[in-house]
Amino acid sequence: MTTINDVAERAGVSPKTVSRVLNDHDSVSARTRDRVRAAMKDLDYQPNAVARSLRARGSGSVGVLMGDPSGGYHTRVHHALLLACVETGRHLSVDLSEGPIPGWDDRIRAFVEDSGIREMILLPPECDFGPMKALMRELDVRCVLISPTTPDPQFPAFAMDDRAAAREVVEHLFSLGHTRIGHIAGHPDHVASTLRRNGFFEAYAAAGLPRPGPELIVQGEFTFKTGLEAARRLLELDEPPTAIFAANDDMAAATCMEAQRRGLRIPDDLSVVGFDDAPIAGVIWPSLTTIRQPFEQMALRALQTLGAWSVNEGAGKTNTPFLARHSLVVRESTGPVRSGAPPRRKT
Amino acid sequence: MTTINDVAERAGVSPKTVSRVLNDHDSVSARTRDRVRAAMKDLDYQPNAVARSLRARGSGSVGVLMGDPSGGYHTRVHHALLLACVETGRHLSVDLSEGPIPGWDDRIRAFVEDSGIREMILLPPECDFGPMKALMRELDVRCVLISPTTPDPQFPAFAMDDRAAAREVVEHLFSLGHTRIGHIAGHPDHVASTLRRNGFFEAYAAAGLPRPGPELIVQGEFTFKTGLEAARRLLELDEPPTAIFAANDDMAAATCMEAQRRGLRIPDDLSVVGFDDAPIAGVIWPSLTTIRQPFEQMALRALQTLGAWSVNEGAGKTNTPFLARHSLVVRESTGPVRSGAPPRRKT
DNA sequence: GCCGCGACTGATAGCGCTAACTTTCAATAT
DNA sequence: ATATTGAAAGTTAGCGCTATCAGTCGCGGC
């Protein structure tokens, strides 16, 4: 292993000067700098990040806490974070978060100290957990929040605009001629559910159409099973909707399955839209029209914010999260409303 | 921040003695040890892992490379690894692996050196990538392989017994009275596909039943879409199978959807079995009977092997991977064969 | 011609921890 | 009682890097 001393010796300068070159510090004459650079290249020198961390009291890694990945949400954020880390030249340290079980704080403390973490990304649900945020402040770890339920003036936050996205979904369906649209709402405990439902209504209001009746709004819980039941209720209405907007992809997939079980063809007899662009959306048949959450953008902005922290201490901390730009992904599950013959029904 | 010196001073001993207590080294008298322990507790002392890493030339973190998570495979391994890390008191550093693009080796090198990684888990497809393994040896990083296609005598490997698992699936179906079973094979490039199909045949041989004809074996590619097409071909046979064993859960889910579209009820008219216990398996309706891959066990054994490396240098390196114990998860998609009326068909 | 100034560089001392070596000292052997 | 142990503790010297402070050197102003 070549050290800074080897480089110094070869370049005929002191180690400190090499260090200066490494960090673009102070004033180093062009000639010396070139000589040092050459020596580094000759010796194939790689600065030892661990030694640096010791001095600097903190590695260049960002920490992130991951919970149960089955929802797919964490997985996608995780991937986006990895991409963002590549972009910003960092590395990612991951620890398991198992909720506020006894001793959770000691584990986090150990995680932060062992990994030399000075920056952390907090995802749901940790980003809304007060004691966690307090611990971060105590450990003097810079934090950003991703999709918090309630923003915190102490930390910058990044989220997407659920309301606007839902509105776009409905406008897309309007443009295909649908006006009788059912909505399968998400779990009542999640703000996202409310925002998406509000967006749904808002689109109607903006288009000057009458607000859909309560029979067209069915409560789900983000799961496939509740989606199945909700779809059943919508499709058994005397006047069933020609399109269904589910608050996530699992429920949308369930809707497709239930509809197909009843002999309806998608999108000819029924259009279906999901939300999230979860893996299932691209994989089932017909593939789902859905909203792609802008994970990549949120992750990149989050890391950039952390990087710029020292420069403008406290900038970006605000009550309103930065809203990243989502996109509507139109796939096979939506099509023009079939005028004329009403959808075949089959009990 | 309290250091080892603070503890030493408080306990009235030298720093080295504190270090000895910390690492259970050498001989320290019980009285001194207790005194040091007390001092550590009093001062709420946490050893600085970064400083340790500097001396020890390597942190306590394990590295893992993650690719595209959409298949769900990486996600589940990742979660299992986190659990195993908690168990073995380690931390996980993750980097993105984007295949052999130019400069991949420099990135890996930087990852290993920046994070002070001396241990690494190689997942598919990296675990079969020769240059990657060569780089690991060059960097003197201890590696274990998870589910390699071809084992490598240089590194311990952990996998599951695909053949035996497939056989169990078929035996489960036998026990429900099914004898005419269709198989949707996986992507021909994956060994797992071959192993699972071999297990399928083996069960017939072991039961003394005639080997199923070629019309009952349909090639898929592990995707939902190919599963749909394969299921269609099986269900349109003149004498359709009463059960279908798909080589993964996506294709099994597709089979369910296709069957339901044709008016077949699951499991009354058709039993379906998947493989992997992917998230989709528990989420769709009916939930899938499937094989649970023993990720947790593989991950734990992998980390334990890394931990025991120094003790018995080279132990565990063998040509045959350690086979972790899978399990058959019986859910709602399998049931006894309906004797009497043949399944209703609907074109 | 000497002083002082600024640009550049080097010696030194750690960051917190541990390995190798040395010292201390009580218990035993002679 | 003295030599001989060896367990128990301390001393010293770094791991690789960087901050502090103290130089060195050339150059213009008085």
Side-chain angles (χ1 to χ4, degrees):
Chain A
M1 162 170 250
T2 60
T3 78
I4 203 171
N5 296 297
D6 303 331
V7 176
E9 194 174 340
R10 173 150 189 140
V13 298
S14 79
K16 174 60 193 163
T17 301
V18 178
S19 167
R20 274 194 266 256
V21 173
L22 270 175
N23 301 289
D24 292 329
H25 264 298
D26 291 56
S27 40
V28 178
S29 74
R31 224 165 54 86
T32 319
R33 192 175 50 240
D34 292 344
R35 211 141 37 90
V36 171
R37 290 251 167 82
M40 295 201 295
K41 188 152 278 177
D42 286 354
L43 298 171
D44 196 24
Y45 169 70
Q46 288 280 131
N48 179 326
V50 176
R52 266 187 180 175
S53 305
L54 178 60
R55 286 248 45 161
R57 309 181 149 276
S59 66
S61 295
V62 215
V64 64
L65 267 20
M66 305 281 290
D68 178 12
S70 58
Y73 180 86
H74 279 187
T75 303
R76 309 194 52 216
V77 176
H78 184 239
H79 190 236
L81 281 174
L82 282 175
L83 284 167
C85 280
V86 172
E87 199 75 23
T88 61
R90 249 175 273 229
H91 292 293
L92 198 62
S93 277
V94 188
D95 199 12
L96 193 64
S97 168
E98 306 172 289
I101 55 171
W104 68 270
D105 48 343
D106 285 339
R107 245 203 89 74
I108 301 294
R109 208 181 287 267
F111 172 52
V112 167
E113 278 163 2
D114 288 1
S115 312
I117 285 175
R118 319 256 34 221
E119 301 176 334
M120 190 111 119
I121 311 278
L122 253 32
L123 311 180
E126 283 77 19
C127 60
D128 287 304
F129 183 44
M132 176 69 77
K133 292 190 284 188
L135 179 60
M136 289 300 125
R137 238 166 298 143
E138 180 201 325
L139 294 173
D140 195 26
V141 171
R142 298 167 184 170
C143 272
V144 301
L145 276 28
I146 302 270
S147 302
T149 293
T150 52
D152 185 322
Q154 297 277 334
F155 303 104
F158 298 84
M160 69 165 292
D161 193 340
D162 286 277
R163 220 191 66 265
R167 190 170 151 172
E168 272 171 52
V169 165
V170 178
E171 281 161 358
H172 165 63
L173 292 172
F174 284 167
S175 77
L176 293 168
H178 299 275
T179 49
R180 189 162 174 79
I181 305 173
H183 177 55
I184 305 179
H187 197 290
D189 288 355
H190 290 53
V191 257
S193 307
T194 311
L195 293 171
R196 291 170 197 179
R197 189 177 44 214
N198 290 352
F200 174 81
F201 286 130
E202 206 177 282
Y204 273 89
L209 292 169
R211 185 184 171 101
E215 78 281 5
L216 284 172
I217 313 297
V218 185
Q219 184 74 52
E221 288 178 12
F222 281 140
T223 63
F224 195 92
K225 201 148 201 169
T226 57
L228 228 37
E229 168 62 15
R232 195 184 57 71
R233 281 177 51 193
L234 286 172
L235 295 175
E236 281 180 356
L237 288 176
D238 287 334
E239 194 188 345
T242 63
I244 293 179
F245 166 36
N248 79 344
D249 286 339
D250 277 356
M251 297 195 297
T255 302
C256 289
M257 197 177 235
E258 178 65 17
Q260 290 178 335
R261 208 173 61 76
R262 292 165 172 269
L264 297 175
R265 282 171 318 160
I266 298 174
D268 295 346
D269 302 325
L270 180 75
S271 284
V272 177
V273 187
F275 204 108
D276 284 349
D277 197 20
I280 198 176
V283 119
I284 65 166
W285 190 89
S287 54
L288 285 174
T289 292
T290 188
I291 291 285
R292 171 173 299 151
Q293 288 219 43
F295 292 114
E296 287 77 10
Q297 201 193 348
M298 291 196 283
L300 187 56
R301 295 295 296 256
L303 289 209
Q304 284 170 342
T305 301
L306 287 173
W309 199 292
S310 53
V311 186
N312 44 359
E313 187 72 46
K317 296 178 190 170
T318 153
N319 259 315
T320 52
F322 168 79
L323 294 177
R325 188 70 206 142
H326 56 264
S327 57
L328 176 71
V329 182
V330 179
R331 294 214 185 84
E332 302 164 336
S333 68
T334 47
V337 67
R338 255 228 318 229
S339 50
R344 287 178 296 155
R345 276 191 61 213
K346 190 183 159 204
T347 30
Chain B
M1 164 171 246
T2 60
T3 76
I4 203 171
N5 296 296
D6 303 331
V7 177
E9 195 175 339
R10 174 152 188 135
V13 298
S14 79
K16 174 62 193 164
T17 301
V18 178
S19 167
R20 275 193 267 255
V21 172
L22 270 174
N23 301 288
D24 292 328
H25 264 296
D26 291 58
S27 39
V28 178
S29 75
R31 224 164 55 85
T32 319
R33 191 174 52 240
D34 292 345
R35 210 138 40 88
V36 171
R37 290 251 166 83
M40 296 200 294
K41 187 153 278 176
D42 286 353
L43 297 171
D44 196 24
Y45 169 70
Q46 288 280 132
N48 179 326
V50 176
R52 264 186 182 177
S53 305
L54 180 59
R55 285 249 46 163
R57 309 183 147 275
S59 67
S61 294
V62 216
V64 64
L65 267 21
M66 304 281 290
D68 178 13
S70 58
Y73 180 86
H74 279 187
T75 303
R76 310 193 52 216
V77 175
H78 184 239
H79 190 235
L81 281 173
L82 282 174
L83 285 166
C85 280
V86 172
E87 199 74 24
T88 60
R90 250 175 272 227
H91 292 294
L92 199 62
S93 276
V94 187
D95 198 13
L96 193 64
S97 168
E98 306 173 289
I101 55 171
W104 67 269
D105 47 344
D106 284 340
R107 246 203 87 75
I108 301 295
R109 210 181 288 266
F111 172 53
V112 167
E113 278 164 3
D114 288 0
S115 312
I117 285 176
R118 320 255 35 220
E119 300 177 333
M120 191 112 120
I121 310 278
L122 253 32
L123 310 180
E126 282 78 20
C127 59
D128 288 304
F129 184 45
M132 177 69 77
K133 292 190 283 187
L135 179 60
M136 289 300 124
R137 236 165 300 144
E138 179 200 326
L139 293 173
D140 196 27
V141 171
R142 298 168 186 170
C143 272
V144 300
L145 275 30
I146 302 271
S147 303
T149 293
T150 51
D152 185 322
Q154 297 277 334
F155 303 103
F158 298 83
M160 69 164 292
D161 193 341
D162 287 277
R163 220 190 68 265
R167 190 169 150 173
E168 270 171 53
V169 165
V170 178
E171 281 161 359
H172 165 64
L173 291 172
F174 284 168
S175 77
L176 292 168
H178 300 274
T179 49
R180 190 163 175 79
I181 305 172
H183 177 55
I184 305 180
H187 196 290
D189 288 355
H190 290 52
V191 258
S193 307
T194 311
L195 293 171
R196 291 171 196 179
R197 188 177 44 216
N198 289 352
F200 174 81
F201 285 130
E202 206 178 283
Y204 274 90
L209 292 169
R211 186 184 169 100
E215 78 280 4
L216 284 173
I217 312 298
V218 184
Q219 185 74 52
E221 288 178 13
F222 282 139
T223 65
F224 195 93
K225 200 149 202 168
T226 57
L228 227 38
E229 168 61 17
R232 195 184 56 71
R233 280 175 55 193
L234 286 172
L235 295 174
E236 280 180 358
L237 288 176
D238 288 334
E239 194 187 344
T242 63
I244 293 179
F245 165 36
N248 79 343
D249 285 341
D250 278 356
M251 297 195 298
T255 302
C256 289
M257 197 176 234
E258 177 65 18
Q260 290 177 334
R261 210 173 60 75
R262 291 164 173 268
L264 298 175
R265 283 173 315 160
I266 298 174
D268 295 345
D269 302 325
L270 181 74
S271 285
V272 177
V273 187
F275 204 106
D276 285 348
D277 198 19
I280 198 177
V283 119
I284 64 168
W285 189 90
S287 55
L288 285 175
T289 293
T290 188
I291 291 286
R292 171 172 299 151
Q293 288 218 43
F295 291 114
E296 287 77 11
Q297 200 193 348
M298 290 195 285
L300 188 57
R301 295 295 297 254
L303 289 208
Q304 284 169 342
T305 301
L306 287 172
W309 199 292
S310 55
V311 186
N312 46 357
E313 186 72 46
K317 295 179 191 170
T318 152
N319 259 313
T320 53
F322 168 79
L323 295 177
R325 189 69 205 141
H326 56 264
S327 58
L328 177 72
V329 182
V330 179
R331 294 213 185 84
E332 302 163 337
S333 68
T334 48
V337 68
R338 256 231 314 232
S339 50
R344 288 178 297 154
R345 277 189 61 211
K346 188 180 162 210
T347 30

